[in-house]
Structures are given as structure tokens and as C-alpha cells.
Amino acid sequence: QRAVGRVLPRRTEVNVDTRFTYTLWPTSDARDSGFDRLRLALPDGGDAQELALRIGGEDIAPSSVEMLGDSLLVIELPERIRQDSLELEFTTRLTENATVFAAELGDSERPDIWQTVEEAERQANTVFLPGLVGSDELIADLSINPPSFTPNGDGINDEVAIRFAVLKLTQANPRIDIFDLSGNRIAQLGTAATTGFSQYTWDGRDDAGQRVAPGLYLCKIDLGAASGRDEALRTIAVAY
């Protein structure tokens, strides 16, 4: 008939692994068939790690866990739930203030029908990041791995991964460009819209598909935001 839910903790730090517990309480009567599926919206690019499930206070192993797209966690339960409470524990990182964890209940016999879990109280499924208030930093956890790579086609160390977290913005359009030390742009890696965590790779080739000469190159990230510190610059070494 009805289910209400709550996520805890309600406050955490920016881009730090945090252990969350999402608890829901269903209300049903003898006519209800219950539910055996649960799906939970995670922050874009987030990853639910070390998943734990409890039903009626007892640890239960889910039948299956699947991530659809970048942000929808779908859990198949080993039994139907009617009135027992359900707790889902997971670890993830948040990069946007007022992140909402929205849950829905489903029935494996009616896979296209989902019932929304209501908030147990106002903003019960919302997590806040006080550290973002007043900060103009929009790029965090920027890593270039490895900082020196050898794109010679031997299958070893042929690419460099550029990974970073986008803070505060509901949608960004990162532009990742590679420049030589003279300031000439030699490659553009992407301008796709994104939120949360982003990763790009460079194979050491320019926009014409030719391998670049060995040496130092500059990687520039530009989120294209109207305000805030939306640019970052790092060096990448190419060797053969």
C-alpha cells in the first residue's frame, strides 16, 4: 500500500567515501503481494561499493545486483517483502549539494511497474554537502595516470587516463585539450555533457591521427561554467 524511506547520514564531506544506509518501511495488508525488487538512484557517475542488505534486521544476500547506466542500482531480492523493514548499506562519493537518493519498489511478475518510496519526513532522502557552500572550486580529484606513457602500440602503457570530479554543477560540458609547450593545440579529447565523475583517455595521437613526438605536453580541462574555478592544467610526458 505504501512505503517510506530515509537515508543516513544526511550530511557528509565533498568527494569522500561515505558509508550510507537507506532504510525503508513498507505498509501492507493481506491483499498485498509485497515486493521483491528495489531500485535506487545514485549520483551520476557514483558507484555503490561494499553493498550490504538487511531484511527485518537480518543480513540477507541479494539474488542479483545490477547497475543500469551511470546511476540506477537495481537489486533483486531473494524473498518477497510485505511488512519487514529493509536496510541497504553502501559506500559512495558525492560531489553535488542536496543529492537525492530516490528509491522505488517492484515486482518480478510485473517488471514494468514501479512504486515510489515516499520520504519518511521532509528531505529524508536528501544528503547535503556543507563544504560546498561558499566554495568556488569546481574540479576535484584530478589525476593523470600514468603521468608518463609510451604510446608505441605494444599494448603496454599505451594510453593515459585523465580522471576528475565535477563539483556543484548539475551539468557541465568539459572540454579537454592537449597542447604542446608552444601553446599549439594538437588534440581534443571530448566535450560531452557530464556530472559527477568523468574520465577521458589519450592515446598519444593528434587530431589527424598521427603519433606525437616525445616530450612534455599540457592537458587543459575547461568545464565551461559561467562562474567559479572551472579550469585546470596538468603536464603529460610522452616517451618512446
Side-chain angles (χ1 to χ4, degrees):
Q1 292 182 347
R2 184 172 183 252
V4 298
R6 176 193 296 126
V7 65
L8 292 174
R10 300 280 295 283
R11 293 172 179 260
T12 186
E13 297 180 42
V14 180
N15 200 33
V16 171
D17 283 340
T18 304
R19 190 69 172 168
F20 291 100
T21 300
Y22 188 92
T23 306
L24 67 88
W25 299 269
T27 302
S28 64
D29 61 22
R31 296 173 296 174
D32 289 330
S33 61
F35 64 95
D36 59 3
R37 305 179 77 201
L38 168 69
R39 66 183 186 186
L40 181 68
L42 298 172
D44 288 344
D47 181 22
Q49 307 168 35
E50 302 173 2
L51 198 70
L53 177 67
R54 285 189 294 273
I55 298 175
E58 296 186 7
D59 292 331
I60 300 291
S63 296
S64 68
V65 178
E66 181 182 8
M67 182 68 78
L68 298 181
D70 291 332
S71 59
L72 193 60
L73 183 68
V74 180
I75 301 171
E76 304 286 343
L77 305 175
E79 60 187 65
R80 287 187 176 274
I81 310 300
R82 292 177 173 82
Q83 295 189 5
D84 289 330
S85 64
L86 183 148
E87 291 179 86
L88 182 65
E89 284 191 5
F90 55 94
T91 300
T92 193
R93 294 184 174 199
L94 304 185
T95 59
E96 183 181 345
N97 193 29
T99 297
V100 175
F101 291 87
E104 295 176 300
L105 308 180
D107 185 336
S108 58
E109 296 180 358
R110 293 176 289 178
D112 297 327
I113 299 176
W114 293 89
Q115 179 176 336
T116 299
V117 177
E118 302 171 27
E119 295 177 319
E121 65 270 342
R122 184 174 178 271
Q123 297 182 328
N125 61 358
T126 305
V127 178
F128 297 92
L129 307 179
L132 281 181
V133 179
S135 171
D136 65 350
E137 188 70 43
L138 301 181
I139 298 174
D141 268 12
L142 172 57
S143 66
I144 307 290
N145 187 37
S148 176
F149 75 119
T150 56
N152 54 13
D154 65 355
I156 302 173
N157 208 29
D158 278 338
E159 293 184 336
V160 61
I162 302 149
R163 189 176 190 273
F164 55 93
V166 178
L167 306 180
K168 303 181 75 170
L169 301 179
T170 56
Q171 188 176 71
N173 294 279
R175 175 171 176 153
I176 293 85
D177 291 314
I178 306 297
F179 295 87
D180 62 23
L181 293 184
S182 297
N184 301 308
R185 198 196 79 183
I186 61 171
Q188 184 178 90
L189 305 187
T191 56
T194 185
T195 57
F197 299 89
S198 299
Q199 179 167 309
Y200 298 81
T201 58
W202 183 40
D203 60 2
R205 295 179 182 271
D206 61 20
D207 284 336
Q210 302 298 312
R211 288 191 183 126
V212 300
L216 280 178
Y217 293 84
L218 300 175
C219 173
K220 181 182 179 182
I221 299 170
D222 184 353
L223 300 185
S227 62
R229 297 169 60 187
D230 65 341
E231 294 185 1
L233 194 66
R234 295 290 188 277
T235 58
I236 300 175
V238 175
Y240 293 104

